[in-house]
Amino acid sequence: MLDTLKLNLILEFMTGYDQDSKPIFSKVTISNLREDLTSNELYQIAVVFGTLISHNLTDIQAVLTHRVNAPQQP
């Protein structure tokens, strides 16, 4: 049986370039969101949060973490 632990939203931003002109990325995690949020609501949260950061939003991931419980003994 699975028990839901939490829903996190991970936002990735391109924050600059290194000496070899390769992009540098940073991630921000928004933790413990309500599990019943829709994909559209999660996207809206990411976009609003992204406007608060002065870098380009490059990726959005929603991560739902579960705990696996051992089966109950009869």
Side-chain angles (χ1 to χ4, degrees):
M1 173 181 262
L2 296 177
D3 286 337
T4 300
L5 292 179
K6 60 184 173 179
L7 174 62
N8 293 335
L9 196 59
I10 301 171
L11 310 179
E12 182 181 77
F13 296 90
M14 189 179 80
T15 57
Y17 294 93
D18 67 10
Q19 298 119 337
D20 298 325
S21 299
K22 294 181 182 176
I24 299 170
F25 297 96
S26 295
K27 292 183 180 181
V28 173
T29 301
I30 304 170
S31 300
N32 298 318
L33 296 169
R34 285 191 352 248
E35 300 157 22
D36 64 341
L37 292 171
T38 66
S39 297
N40 188 43
E41 290 168 328
L42 290 169
Y43 180 78
Q44 290 173 6
I45 291 167
V47 169
V48 168
F49 193 88
T51 63
L52 301 174
I53 296 182
S54 60
H55 300 290
N56 292 330
L57 181 62
T58 57
D59 190 38
I60 304 167
Q61 296 177 20
V63 179
L64 186 58
T65 304
H66 294 276
R67 172 179 286 130
V68 178
N69 296 320
Q72 298 203 2
Q73 301 297 323

